[in-house]
């Protein structure tokens, strides 16, 4: 098969591992910078142009779309979908996962455990909102933040009010969440591929830091998920519409509490912790579904 990896940086670990896995399975692979793609839109003739050529020969794409370019990246993925190319991450699911508020609403409707969360208009009373999630300390998050950026721990009510007012002063959209003390600075990342957990790790924040992201100095160790945790991860990915997802959960007395469903989860930390060939599992998933899509497409054209 001809497979395109949509990535802005061909030197990233995840991009390199996916390329390596594609080639290992005998596929022709090309890394495409989605921000340099041009979308040609015409009646019944969608085309993606890249460096002066038409990208009309791919059987599948594996999107690695950064949060800062979600809008354009999703448009490129959608264009390939209109061309009947299989996408490992669907455009609508990508957009849905990047909207933290919408994702939490979807997960809440599905009956999954979540930290107590408040979303409010700029005019709402900050003190009442802090009390509603159990009081300080509280976590305050920018809706568009990623990799721990735009996430603040306010230790007391006065600090929380100041942070909320500062964000509101620049018209930044935020959510306020309870601080789950029993998690002790740790969270769980479950990596889901095609409805199955293929690897899981526990991430522990470094001393003095409450964010467990590996980019922020957290350390990871492989863990075996409980049946409840595994069910929560698989259900969360399914409800958001992602066939490939990194589901982040906090351990709590109430069971696993989902904090995010990531549509472009990194491979480096999870592969290092679990020693599992996650990239290979992604490629096998692409092979399975791209082949089905090609057979259906050939039947329609016959």
């Amino acid at each position: 098969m001809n497979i395109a990896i949509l990535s802005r940086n061909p030197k990233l670990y995840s991009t390199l591992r996916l390329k390596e896995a594609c080639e290992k399975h005998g596929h022709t692979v090309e890394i495409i910078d989605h921000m340099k793609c041009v979308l040609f839109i015409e009646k019944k003739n969608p085309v993606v142009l890249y460096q002066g050529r038409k990208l009309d020969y791919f059987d599948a794409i594996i999107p690695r779309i950064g949060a800062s370019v979600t809008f354009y990246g999703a448009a490129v993925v959608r264009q390939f979908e209109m061309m009947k190319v299989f996408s490992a991450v669907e455009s609508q699911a990508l957009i849905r996962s990047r909207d933290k508020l919408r994702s939490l609403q979807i997960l809440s409707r599905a009956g999954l455990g979540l930290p107590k969360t408040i979303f409010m208009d700029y005019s709402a009373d900050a003190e009442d909102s802090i009390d509603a999630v159990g009081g300080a300390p509280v976590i305050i998050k920018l809706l568009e933040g990623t990799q721990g950026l735009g996430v603040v721990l306010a230790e007391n009510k006065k600090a929380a009010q100041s942070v909320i007012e500062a964000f509101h002063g620049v018209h930044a959209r935020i959510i306020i969440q309870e601080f789950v003390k029993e998690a002790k600075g740790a969270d769980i990342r479950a990596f889901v591929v095609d409805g199955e957990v293929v690897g899981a790790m526990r991430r522990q924040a470094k001393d003095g830091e409450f964010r467990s992201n590996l980019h922020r100095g957290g350390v990871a160790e492989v863990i075996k998920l409980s049946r409840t945790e595994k069910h929560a991860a698989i259900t969360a990915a399914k409800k958001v519409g992602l066939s490939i997802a990194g589901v982040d959960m906090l351990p709590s007395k109430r069971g696993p509490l989902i904090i995010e469903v990531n549509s472009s989860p990194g491979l480096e930390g999870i592969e290092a912790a679990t020693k599992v060939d996650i990239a290979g599992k992604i490629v096998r998933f692409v092979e399975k579904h791209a082949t089905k899509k090609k057979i259906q497409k050939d039947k329609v054209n016959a």
Side-chain angles (χ1 to χ4, degrees):
M1 288 195 301
N2 291 318
I3 299 175
I5 299 171
L6 304 185
S7 173
R8 299 191 69 189
N9 188 347
K11 295 181 180 179
L12 287 177
Y13 177 91
S14 298
T15 303
L16 289 173
R17 281 289 294 120
L18 288 167
K19 183 176 185 292
E20 179 185 85
C22 287
E23 291 173 341
K24 184 178 179 181
H25 285 73
H27 304 299
T28 301
V29 61
E30 188 175 347
I31 298 171
I32 300 292
D33 183 346
H34 42 281
M35 295 306 292
K36 294 180 180 178
C37 289
V38 176
L39 309 184
F40 184 76
I41 302 168
E42 185 184 26
K43 183 180 179 180
K44 295 184 178 180
N45 185 35
V47 175
V48 177
L49 302 174
Y50 184 71
Q51 296 179 342
R53 54 196 171 93
K54 290 183 180 181
L55 301 184
D56 56 0
Y57 49 88
F58 288 116
D59 302 298
I61 59 171
I62 304 175
R64 299 289 306 174
I65 310 296
S68 63
V69 294
T70 298
F71 179 83
Y72 197 81
V76 174
V77 174
R78 192 181 308 116
Q79 190 84 344
F80 276 111
E81 290 171 342
M82 291 167 63
M83 296 162 59
K84 308 302 182 186
V85 176
F86 174 75
S87 177
V89 177
E90 294 182 1
S91 57
Q92 274 302 106
L94 170 62
I95 293 170
R96 198 179 296 126
S97 70
R98 290 286 162 76
D99 185 335
K100 285 187 173 68
L101 178 62
R102 186 180 180 190
S103 292
L104 290 172
Q105 289 173 322
I106 290 169
L107 299 176
S108 171
R109 186 171 59 194
L112 293 167
L114 302 168
K116 294 175 185 176
T117 303
I118 289 285
F119 175 69
M120 58 184 181
D121 186 67
Y122 303 129
S123 61
D125 187 278
E127 185 174 356
D128 288 345
S129 298
I130 295 165
D131 291 338
V133 296
V138 294
I139 303 293
I140 302 167
K141 296 181 180 180
L142 283 171
L143 283 180
E144 64 272 17
T146 185
Q147 294 183 348
L149 298 172
V151 181
V152 177
L153 170 63
E155 298 277 5
N156 55 63
K157 183 177 285 189
K158 186 175 181 180
Q161 287 178 290
S162 296
V163 172
I164 292 167
E165 288 167 4
F167 277 136
H168 283 179
V170 294
H171 289 84
R173 293 290 185 184
I174 60 170
I175 56 175
I176 304 165
Q177 288 186 325
E178 68 171 310
F179 178 66
V180 182
K181 297 181 179 68
E182 61 262 36
K184 298 178 180 178
D187 72 3
I188 296 167
R189 160 64 64 89
F191 206 110
V192 178
V193 178
D194 201 16
E196 177 186 353
V197 175
V198 296
M201 61 181 174
R202 179 180 181 271
R203 303 182 297 189
Q204 179 67 53
K206 65 180 181 181
D207 290 343
E209 175 63 74
F210 72 96
R211 293 166 292 188
S212 60
N213 305 72
L214 302 186
H215 289 84
R216 310 203 67 82
V219 293
E221 62 178 357
V222 63
I223 61 165
K224 182 177 177 60
L225 296 183
S226 67
R227 183 176 297 179
T228 303
E229 290 166 341
K230 188 176 291 187
H231 173 75
I234 292 170
T235 303
K238 181 180 179 181
K239 292 299 180 181
V240 176
L242 292 168
S243 297
I244 299 172
V247 181
D248 297 338
M249 303 176 281
L250 293 174
S252 81
K253 296 173 184 177
R254 313 196 299 268
L257 305 177
I258 297 172
I259 51 178
E260 187 173 7
V261 183
N262 193 319
S263 54
S264 293
L267 298 180
E268 187 170 10
I270 193 76
E271 288 196 334
T274 63
K275 310 304 179 188
V276 174
D277 179 14
I278 304 288
K281 291 183 180 294
I282 291 173
V283 173
R284 283 193 286 275
F285 156 70
V286 171
E287 289 173 340
K288 174 184 172 183
H289 291 276
T291 300
K292 284 183 180 178
K293 194 173 188 72
K294 191 174 187 304
I295 291 171
Q296 292 171 351
K297 184 178 177 181
D298 290 343
K299 283 182 179 180
V300 171
N301 295 332

